[in-house]
Amino acid sequence: MNHPTNLINVIDNLSEYLEYEAEENNAPVEISPDTLKELGQPCPAASHKQQDDDAGVKMKKTATAISVCKKCSLCKTRTKTVPGQGSLAPEIMFVGEAPGADEDAAGLAFVGRAGQLLTKMINAMGYAREEVFIGNILKCRPPENRKPSPEEMELCLPYLKEQIAVLKPKIIIALGATAIQGLLGISTGITKFRGTWSSFSGIDLMPTYHPAYLLRNPPAKKEVWQDLQAVLTRLGRKPPQAESKKK
Ligand code: URA
């Protein structure tokens, strides 16, 4: 912000006066949010926005690091890096495997066919896509959509961990075996493991089937819906359909 010199002097004097008052232990002085803004001080009423701004800066920093990452050979074949996208203060974070062809072209996670199904799942839970965060274990597409190698996952995981630490979602939904393997180091079959609560860095984690699997095997949608409902119950929410039936 550019201030004229006389305004800067007023701000300086006011700052000094407030410091003096604080040092002297005098009664707190009422200051408007605008004055605090002028002084460059955080305003309590704006703390939510401030948190979002901080998260935005940190997420951008991670995305920039990802965009120039050369830790593994996927940097040679990728078109765009795919850091993930969505809310900066999400209740839910979805974690998939790795970008496919559509995501590699767009630089966005889950925008292909599996992504469209994921959007339906998110909407059925009563959220818009922008209200959750959607990311992946790998930030670059493996050629021919092959499974990520253990080395690639290990090298890429710090980015996801950074994102989780910044976003602090209430619940992580791990989509498919690779997400579970990457986050929990567990290679138990997804069929056995889905629907059972786990934890990652103190955050509740629900494993479920990957939307790409649901495209090949639609009857499994029933089990996924059970898992998503368990998530809603833990968040103290009800799916919109159940809400409207009650009315
Ligand atoms: N499958 C994934 O696991 N992630 C994507 O972003 C797209 C498809």
Side-chain angles (χ1 to χ4, degrees), residues 58-59 61-62 157-167:
K58 287 181 186 158
M59 291 296 282
K61 217 171 132 194
T62 304
L157 211 55
Y159 295 128
L160 182 61
K161 286 186 178 167
E162 266 175 41
Q163 293 175 320
I164 292 171
V166 170
L167 297 173

Side-chain angles (χ1 to χ4, degrees), residues 167-198:
L167 297 173
K168 298 183 187 66
K170 290 201 179 114
I171 290 179
I172 296 171
I173 300 182
L175 300 166
T178 302
I180 294 163
Q181 167 89 58
L183 288 168
L184 304 175
I186 291 174
S187 43
T188 319
I190 174 79
T191 317
K192 271 205 190 139
F193 199 58
R194 62 139 281 277
T196 57
W197 285 105
S198 263

Side-chain angles (χ1 to χ4, degrees), residues 87-235:
S87 166
L88 293 173
E91 286 190 341
I92 303 174
M93 178 169 188
F94 289 86
V95 177
E97 179 175 297
D102 295 318
E103 291 77 19
D104 175 69
L108 294 167
F110 279 97
V111 290
R113 274 186 73 221
Q116 284 160 25
L117 181 52
L118 179 62
T119 305
K120 284 189 186 162
M121 288 159 54
I122 293 167
N123 295 160
M125 293 176 82
Y127 294 88
R129 245 178 101 104
E130 306 71 46
E131 288 178 290
V132 301
F133 192 89
I134 304 172
N136 282 304
I137 297 287
L138 291 195
K139 311 302 188 189
C140 296
R141 181 191 183 202
E144 315 301 327
N145 297 349
R146 64 157 168 76
K147 281 240 167 276
S149 73
E151 291 87 343
E152 286 160 358
M153 293 211 279
E154 199 184 317
L155 291 168
C156 210
L157 211 55
Y159 295 128
L160 182 61
K161 286 186 178 167
E162 266 175 41
Q163 293 175 320
I164 292 171
V166 170
L167 297 173
K168 298 183 187 66
K170 290 201 179 114
I171 290 179
I172 296 171
I173 300 182
L175 300 166
T178 302
I180 294 163
Q181 167 89 58
L183 288 168
L184 304 175
I186 291 174
S187 43
T188 319
I190 174 79
T191 317
K192 271 205 190 139
F193 199 58
R194 62 139 281 277
T196 57
W197 285 105
S198 263
S199 161
F200 178 83
S201 285
I203 298 169
D204 288 338
L205 184 148
M206 172 57 77
T208 195
Y209 291 130
H210 193 287
Y213 172 73
L214 298 181
L215 290 172
R216 299 191 301 271
N217 187 13
K221 284 182 189 173
K222 204 172 137 216
E223 284 145 293
V224 169
W225 186 229
Q226 283 168 8
D227 303 342
L228 300 182
Q229 280 180 299
V231 168
L232 289 174
T233 303
R234 189 155 288 208
L235 290 169

